[in-house]
Amino acid sequence: ILEELTYHLISSNQLEKALSYIVKVARVDANIFSSQSLHLWEDAYEISKDIESEYKLEILENLGRFY
């Protein structure tokens, strides 16, 4: 469901809202170093590259933990 929601938000140019949903779900998985969690942070990073966002530092920190 998250993928469909973010797809539609991105398609309608609501990038900050899509990013917000992804980050909220990724935070829940933050303590679990799973491929799903990594995928969420990578998706968030791709969106954050196109906009100014308060989440950018958090996204980079979490990606750093994986790599």
Side-chain angles (χ1 to χ4, degrees), residues 18-44:
L19 187 58
S20 174
Y21 282 115
I22 292 172
V23 168
K24 286 178 186 176
V25 173
R27 283 176 180 160
V28 172
D29 289 341
N31 294 327
I32 304 169
F33 289 101
S34 66
S35 60
Q36 178 184 350
S37 183
L38 175 59
H39 181 71
L40 290 169
W41 289 116
E42 288 175 338
D43 286 350

mmCIF file of all heavy atoms in Angstrom, residues 18-44:
data_model
loop_
_atom_site.group_PDB
_atom_site.id
_atom_site.type_symbol
_atom_site.label_atom_id
_atom_site.label_comp_id
_atom_site.label_asym_id
_atom_site.label_seq_id
_atom_site.Cartn_x
_atom_site.Cartn_y
_atom_site.Cartn_z
ATOM 1 N N ALA A 18 5.010 12.530 0.048
ATOM 2 C CA ALA A 18 5.478 11.166 -0.207
ATOM 3 C C ALA A 18 6.694 10.855 0.659
ATOM 4 O O ALA A 18 6.785 9.785 1.268
ATOM 5 C CB ALA A 18 5.828 11.004 -1.687
ATOM 6 N N LEU A 19 7.602 11.807 0.730
ATOM 7 C CA LEU A 19 8.796 11.638 1.548
ATOM 8 C C LEU A 19 8.438 11.461 3.015
ATOM 9 O O LEU A 19 9.004 10.615 3.709
ATOM 10 C CB LEU A 19 9.713 12.842 1.355
ATOM 11 C CG LEU A 19 11.080 12.784 1.993
ATOM 12 C CD1 LEU A 19 11.868 11.578 1.498
ATOM 13 C CD2 LEU A 19 11.840 14.058 1.706
ATOM 14 N N SER A 20 7.483 12.214 3.482
ATOM 15 C CA SER A 20 7.048 12.122 4.869
ATOM 16 C C SER A 20 6.531 10.718 5.199
ATOM 17 O O SER A 20 6.883 10.146 6.227
ATOM 18 C CB SER A 20 5.951 13.154 5.127
ATOM 19 O OG SER A 20 5.416 13.000 6.406
ATOM 20 N N TYR A 21 5.713 10.154 4.321
ATOM 21 C CA TYR A 21 5.185 8.807 4.561
ATOM 22 C C TYR A 21 6.306 7.769 4.566
ATOM 23 O O TYR A 21 6.339 6.884 5.419
ATOM 24 C CB TYR A 21 4.143 8.424 3.503
ATOM 25 C CG TYR A 21 2.796 9.054 3.732
ATOM 26 C CD1 TYR A 21 2.278 9.978 2.836
ATOM 27 C CD2 TYR A 21 2.035 8.730 4.843
ATOM 28 C CE1 TYR A 21 1.038 10.558 3.040
ATOM 29 C CE2 TYR A 21 0.796 9.306 5.071
ATOM 30 C CZ TYR A 21 0.304 10.217 4.155
ATOM 31 O OH TYR A 21 -0.917 10.785 4.367
ATOM 32 N N ILE A 22 7.220 7.865 3.619
ATOM 33 C CA ILE A 22 8.315 6.896 3.551
ATOM 34 C C ILE A 22 9.182 6.968 4.804
ATOM 35 O O ILE A 22 9.540 5.949 5.389
ATOM 36 C CB ILE A 22 9.167 7.118 2.286
ATOM 37 C CG1 ILE A 22 8.353 6.766 1.045
ATOM 38 C CG2 ILE A 22 10.449 6.295 2.339
ATOM 39 C CD1 ILE A 22 9.025 7.138 -0.258
ATOM 40 N N VAL A 23 9.521 8.180 5.229
ATOM 41 C CA VAL A 23 10.370 8.343 6.408
ATOM 42 C C VAL A 23 9.675 7.806 7.653
ATOM 43 O O VAL A 23 10.307 7.142 8.485
ATOM 44 C CB VAL A 23 10.804 9.814 6.577
ATOM 45 C CG1 VAL A 23 11.440 10.051 7.932
ATOM 46 C CG2 VAL A 23 11.750 10.215 5.459
ATOM 47 N N LYS A 24 8.384 8.045 7.794
ATOM 48 C CA LYS A 24 7.656 7.530 8.959
ATOM 49 C C LYS A 24 7.724 6.010 9.030
ATOM 50 O O LYS A 24 7.956 5.441 10.100
ATOM 51 C CB LYS A 24 6.198 7.993 8.928
ATOM 52 C CG LYS A 24 6.031 9.438 9.284
ATOM 53 C CD LYS A 24 4.582 9.864 9.193
ATOM 54 C CE LYS A 24 4.466 11.362 9.424
ATOM 55 N NZ LYS A 24 3.095 11.843 9.251
ATOM 56 N N VAL A 25 7.529 5.347 7.905
ATOM 57 C CA VAL A 25 7.590 3.881 7.890
ATOM 58 C C VAL A 25 9.028 3.416 8.109
ATOM 59 O O VAL A 25 9.273 2.456 8.844
ATOM 60 C CB VAL A 25 7.024 3.327 6.564
ATOM 61 C CG1 VAL A 25 7.238 1.833 6.470
ATOM 62 C CG2 VAL A 25 5.542 3.660 6.452
ATOM 63 N N ALA A 26 9.980 4.088 7.506
ATOM 64 C CA ALA A 26 11.388 3.702 7.662
ATOM 65 C C ALA A 26 11.843 3.852 9.108
ATOM 66 O O ALA A 26 12.658 3.067 9.586
ATOM 67 C CB ALA A 26 12.266 4.534 6.731
ATOM 68 N N ARG A 27 11.330 4.857 9.807
ATOM 69 C CA ARG A 27 11.689 5.041 11.223
ATOM 70 C C ARG A 27 11.258 3.844 12.058
ATOM 71 O O ARG A 27 11.960 3.451 12.997
ATOM 72 C CB ARG A 27 11.035 6.298 11.778
ATOM 73 C CG ARG A 27 11.708 7.564 11.356
ATOM 74 C CD ARG A 27 10.951 8.742 11.861
ATOM 75 N NE ARG A 27 11.562 10.007 11.469
ATOM 76 C CZ ARG A 27 10.920 11.153 11.454
ATOM 77 N NH1 ARG A 27 9.649 11.204 11.807
ATOM 78 N NH2 ARG A 27 11.540 12.250 11.075
ATOM 79 N N VAL A 28 10.114 3.275 11.738
ATOM 80 C CA VAL A 28 9.623 2.099 12.467
ATOM 81 C C VAL A 28 10.588 0.931 12.269
ATOM 82 O O VAL A 28 10.855 0.174 13.194
ATOM 83 C CB VAL A 28 8.197 1.722 12.005
ATOM 84 C CG1 VAL A 28 7.754 0.407 12.604
ATOM 85 C CG2 VAL A 28 7.217 2.827 12.360
ATOM 86 N N ASP A 29 11.118 0.825 11.056
ATOM 87 C CA ASP A 29 12.063 -0.248 10.732
ATOM 88 C C ASP A 29 13.513 0.136 11.021
ATOM 89 O O ASP A 29 14.423 -0.609 10.677
ATOM 90 C CB ASP A 29 11.956 -0.615 9.251
ATOM 91 C CG ASP A 29 10.669 -1.339 8.921
ATOM 92 O OD1 ASP A 29 10.044 -1.861 9.857
ATOM 93 O OD2 ASP A 29 10.299 -1.377 7.741
ATOM 94 N N ALA A 30 13.738 1.292 11.620
ATOM 95 C CA ALA A 30 15.098 1.816 11.781
ATOM 96 C C ALA A 30 16.023 0.866 12.534
ATOM 97 O O ALA A 30 17.215 0.807 12.255
ATOM 98 C CB ALA A 30 15.067 3.169 12.480
ATOM 99 N N ASN A 31 15.500 0.148 13.488
ATOM 100 C CA ASN A 31 16.341 -0.754 14.271
ATOM 101 C C ASN A 31 16.515 -2.114 13.613
ATOM 102 O O ASN A 31 17.234 -2.958 14.108
ATOM 103 C CB ASN A 31 15.760 -0.932 15.673
ATOM 104 C CG ASN A 31 15.799 0.364 16.455
ATOM 105 O OD1 ASN A 31 16.706 1.167 16.294
ATOM 106 N ND2 ASN A 31 14.807 0.576 17.287
ATOM 107 N N ILE A 32 15.845 -2.293 12.498
ATOM 108 C CA ILE A 32 15.929 -3.561 11.780
ATOM 109 C C ILE A 32 16.704 -3.311 10.486
ATOM 110 O O ILE A 32 16.254 -2.588 9.622
ATOM 111 C CB ILE A 32 14.525 -4.103 11.440
ATOM 112 C CG1 ILE A 32 13.686 -4.250 12.698
ATOM 113 C CG2 ILE A 32 14.635 -5.414 10.677
ATOM 114 C CD1 ILE A 32 12.227 -4.522 12.419
ATOM 115 N N PHE A 33 17.884 -3.878 10.381
ATOM 116 C CA PHE A 33 18.692 -3.679 9.184
ATOM 117 C C PHE A 33 18.277 -4.699 8.134
ATOM 118 O O PHE A 33 18.993 -5.640 7.827
ATOM 119 C CB PHE A 33 20.183 -3.785 9.512
ATOM 120 C CG PHE A 33 20.669 -2.617 10.311
ATOM 121 C CD1 PHE A 33 20.863 -2.714 11.675
ATOM 122 C CD2 PHE A 33 20.904 -1.407 9.692
ATOM 123 C CE1 PHE A 33 21.301 -1.625 12.414
ATOM 124 C CE2 PHE A 33 21.344 -0.308 10.416
ATOM 125 C CZ PHE A 33 21.537 -0.419 11.781
ATOM 126 N N SER A 34 17.100 -4.479 7.597
ATOM 127 C CA SER A 34 16.558 -5.393 6.600
ATOM 128 C C SER A 34 16.647 -4.761 5.218
ATOM 129 O O SER A 34 16.859 -3.555 5.075
ATOM 130 C CB SER A 34 15.096 -5.707 6.913
ATOM 131 O OG SER A 34 14.307 -4.531 6.757
ATOM 132 N N SER A 35 16.455 -5.578 4.207
ATOM 133 C CA SER A 35 16.477 -5.050 2.847
ATOM 134 C C SER A 35 15.306 -4.101 2.618
ATOM 135 O O SER A 35 15.430 -3.128 1.868
ATOM 136 C CB SER A 35 16.470 -6.185 1.824
ATOM 137 O OG SER A 35 15.310 -6.965 1.967
ATOM 138 N N GLN A 36 14.178 -4.348 3.285
ATOM 139 C CA GLN A 36 13.026 -3.452 3.152
ATOM 140 C C GLN A 36 13.347 -2.079 3.732
ATOM 141 O O GLN A 36 13.035 -1.056 3.133
ATOM 142 C CB GLN A 36 11.797 -4.017 3.844
ATOM 143 C CG GLN A 36 10.597 -3.083 3.757
ATOM 144 C CD GLN A 36 9.386 -3.587 4.513
ATOM 145 O OE1 GLN A 36 9.354 -4.720 4.973
ATOM 146 N NE2 GLN A 36 8.390 -2.744 4.644
ATOM 147 N N SER A 37 13.974 -2.055 4.876
ATOM 148 C CA SER A 37 14.337 -0.793 5.499
ATOM 149 C C SER A 37 15.327 -0.027 4.619
ATOM 150 O O SER A 37 15.191 1.183 4.417
ATOM 151 C CB SER A 37 14.942 -1.053 6.877
ATOM 152 O OG SER A 37 15.243 0.157 7.515
ATOM 153 N N LEU A 38 16.310 -0.715 4.086
ATOM 154 C CA LEU A 38 17.278 -0.086 3.188
ATOM 155 C C LEU A 38 16.565 0.478 1.963
ATOM 156 O O LEU A 38 16.830 1.607 1.538
ATOM 157 C CB LEU A 38 18.350 -1.086 2.765
ATOM 158 C CG LEU A 38 19.354 -0.587 1.737
ATOM 159 C CD1 LEU A 38 20.106 0.639 2.238
ATOM 160 C CD2 LEU A 38 20.316 -1.708 1.366
ATOM 161 N N HIS A 39 15.658 -0.285 1.411
ATOM 162 C CA HIS A 39 14.906 0.154 0.236
ATOM 163 C C HIS A 39 14.109 1.435 0.529
ATOM 164 O O HIS A 39 14.073 2.353 -0.294
ATOM 165 C CB HIS A 39 13.968 -0.965 -0.232
ATOM 166 C CG HIS A 39 13.171 -0.636 -1.433
ATOM 167 N ND1 HIS A 39 13.711 -0.520 -2.682
ATOM 168 C CD2 HIS A 39 11.853 -0.366 -1.566
ATOM 169 C CE1 HIS A 39 12.761 -0.197 -3.546
ATOM 170 N NE2 HIS A 39 11.624 -0.093 -2.885
ATOM 171 N N LEU A 40 13.507 1.517 1.697
ATOM 172 C CA LEU A 40 12.755 2.712 2.079
ATOM 173 C C LEU A 40 13.653 3.932 2.163
ATOM 174 O O LEU A 40 13.310 5.008 1.654
ATOM 175 C CB LEU A 40 12.042 2.487 3.412
ATOM 176 C CG LEU A 40 10.879 1.518 3.403
ATOM 177 C CD1 LEU A 40 10.453 1.191 4.840
ATOM 178 C CD2 LEU A 40 9.710 2.086 2.617
ATOM 179 N N TRP A 41 14.816 3.784 2.801
ATOM 180 C CA TRP A 41 15.738 4.913 2.916
ATOM 181 C C TRP A 41 16.287 5.307 1.551
ATOM 182 O O TRP A 41 16.484 6.494 1.278
ATOM 183 C CB TRP A 41 16.859 4.611 3.905
ATOM 184 C CG TRP A 41 16.387 4.584 5.328
ATOM 185 C CD1 TRP A 41 16.381 3.505 6.179
ATOM 186 C CD2 TRP A 41 15.822 5.671 6.076
ATOM 187 N NE1 TRP A 41 15.852 3.865 7.389
ATOM 188 C CE2 TRP A 41 15.498 5.188 7.359
ATOM 189 C CE3 TRP A 41 15.555 7.001 5.786
ATOM 190 C CZ2 TRP A 41 14.938 5.986 8.348
ATOM 191 C CZ3 TRP A 41 14.984 7.804 6.770
ATOM 192 C CH2 TRP A 41 14.684 7.294 8.035
ATOM 193 N N GLU A 42 16.525 4.342 0.680
ATOM 194 C CA GLU A 42 16.988 4.662 -0.664
ATOM 195 C C GLU A 42 15.912 5.403 -1.456
ATOM 196 O O GLU A 42 16.213 6.354 -2.183
ATOM 197 C CB GLU A 42 17.426 3.402 -1.395
ATOM 198 C CG GLU A 42 18.734 2.844 -0.871
ATOM 199 C CD GLU A 42 19.128 1.531 -1.495
ATOM 200 O OE1 GLU A 42 18.242 0.810 -2.020
ATOM 201 O OE2 GLU A 42 20.330 1.208 -1.464
ATOM 202 N N ASP A 43 14.658 4.963 -1.322
ATOM 203 C CA ASP A 43 13.546 5.676 -1.972
ATOM 204 C C ASP A 43 13.453 7.107 -1.449
ATOM 205 O O ASP A 43 13.258 8.049 -2.231
ATOM 206 C CB ASP A 43 12.219 4.958 -1.727
ATOM 207 C CG ASP A 43 12.067 3.688 -2.533
ATOM 208 O OD1 ASP A 43 12.889 3.435 -3.435
ATOM 209 O OD2 ASP A 43 11.113 2.932 -2.251
ATOM 210 N N ALA A 44 13.572 7.251 -0.147
ATOM 211 C CA ALA A 44 13.503 8.584 0.454
ATOM 212 C C ALA A 44 14.631 9.460 -0.078
ATOM 213 O O ALA A 44 14.421 10.643 -0.377
ATOM 214 C CB ALA A 44 13.573 8.477 1.977
#
